Amino acid sequence: MLAKFNQNIMKCITLANERNILAQAGSTTSLKSSPRFLATSREATSYRQLYDAGLETQNFNLMLYDQSFFQFAIVSSEENLSVRLAYYPNPYIFIEHINEKNDALSLLDIGELTHEEYEQLISESTCYSEIPIIRYDLSTEQYCENYHPTAHFHIGFNSESRWPVRRVLSPLAFFLNIIKNYYIDIWIKAEVSKTPFENELETIYKKEVLDCLILDEEYFKPTDEQRLYFT
């Protein structure tokens, strides 16, 4: 399982490089978090502290052109399967946009810009909404039918939120899901035909998701099916 997982990581790096969105490749195998990153993940009071720790220690498998990065890790034994897939967006892009907007507003207030010039600057500015950290965790030994799904998404800095997932996601499935949802311009560029619709990334994505194993009933019980979950 580890060898297949590592091969899947290489697929992510290769695809990112082919699409010209790779800034830097990190570990090409299951990532072992650095002591500093682990300590920061427990003690951080803001997302920026966590992001900075990952960036400064180069604790990632791959970094995109916008300095967001991904971490992929797996631990497999007879007693437990543990998978961790995480996306860390660059929090400073949003801050830069707000600073630019405030600077333009100050120039407007003192008469250095007209209203028309101000509106043009704002319309031409690249605005990124504050994208949350996205993490997929799977642990068979931590499964609790009523409180802790075997596999789940954590969305945002609050680690207590768990959105159940029924599949054992691969790094590539997770990676493409992030690209599709937060890098739509990259996704659109992969479009080959509109009628009939054909998109190279969509084709890879769908195939990869179908190849991801579905959790059996031991780790996804009938009561889990009665609640909302990602298939």
Side-chain angles (χ1 to χ4, degrees):
M1 181 170 281
L2 177 59
K4 185 177 180 180
F5 189 87
N6 290 339
Q7 290 170 4
N8 206 266
I9 290 174
M10 277 304 305
K11 287 182 181 180
C12 295
I13 294 172
T14 300
L15 188 147
N17 187 51
E18 290 173 348
R19 297 289 162 176
N20 296 315
I21 59 175
L22 180 69
Q24 182 179 340
S27 173
T28 58
T29 59
S30 178
L31 190 69
K32 184 177 180 180
S33 294
S34 68
R36 181 189 166 192
F37 186 83
L38 288 173
T40 304
S41 68
R42 292 189 294 266
E43 301 165 2
T45 57
S46 73
Y47 170 60
R48 273 187 286 169
Q49 291 176 325
L50 186 60
Y51 171 85
D52 288 345
L55 188 65
E56 291 167 11
T57 58
Q58 302 282 286
N59 204 205
F60 54 77
N61 294 96
L62 70 122
M63 175 185 286
L64 299 185
Y65 64 91
D66 61 356
Q67 292 195 304
S68 61
F69 58 83
F70 291 81
Q71 294 179 338
F72 307 130
I74 187 171
V75 177
S76 180
S77 67
E78 292 183 4
E79 297 78 22
N80 181 46
L81 172 63
S82 176
V83 177
R84 182 177 177 278
L85 313 171
Y87 166 68
Y88 294 87
N90 181 353
Y92 295 102
I93 293 177
F94 180 74
I95 293 168
E96 287 171 7
H97 169 73
I98 294 300
N99 289 340
E100 289 174 3
K101 186 175 180 180
N102 288 338
D103 289 343
L105 187 59
S106 296
L107 292 173
L108 175 65
D109 289 341
I110 63 176
E112 292 291 325
L113 287 178
T114 65
H115 281 283
E116 290 76 15
E117 290 170 331
Y118 171 77
E119 292 297 334
Q120 184 176 352
L121 276 175
I122 296 305
S123 66
E124 292 176 351
S125 175
T126 302
C127 178
Y128 294 81
S129 60
E130 196 165 9
I131 300 172
I133 175 178
I134 308 290
R135 195 172 86 237
Y136 167 87
D137 283 344
L138 181 150
S139 175
T140 53
E141 70 177 7
Q142 291 183 1
Y143 173 59
C144 175
E145 183 177 351
N146 293 316
Y147 296 106
H148 196 288
T150 300
H152 50 273
F153 284 119
H154 292 288
I155 301 175
F157 191 58
N158 176 15
S159 62
E160 295 305 311
S161 63
R162 297 183 181 92
W163 296 79
V165 182
R166 195 170 187 175
R167 290 184 185 269
V168 182
L169 293 186
S170 67
L172 185 59
F174 178 83
F175 175 74
L176 287 171
N177 185 53
I178 295 297
I179 300 300
K180 181 175 175 62
N181 282 286
Y182 296 113
Y183 297 85
I184 190 63
D185 55 329
I186 304 300
W187 206 264
I188 291 173
K189 286 179 182 177
E191 195 172 291
V192 176
S193 169
K194 290 186 179 294
T195 310
F197 177 76
E198 184 180 352
N199 183 297
E200 292 173 340
L201 291 180
E202 185 82 23
T203 300
I204 298 169
Y205 180 45
K206 288 178 178 177
K207 180 180 183 304
E208 188 66 25
V209 170
L210 287 176
D211 286 344
C212 292
L213 296 176
I214 294 177
L215 290 168
D216 61 36
E217 194 170 306
E218 181 181 0
Y219 299 112
F220 199 91
K221 299 187 183 301
T223 51
D224 293 309
E225 292 189 39
Q226 296 168 11
R227 307 176 181 124
L228 287 173
Y229 61 91
F230 291 92
T231 58

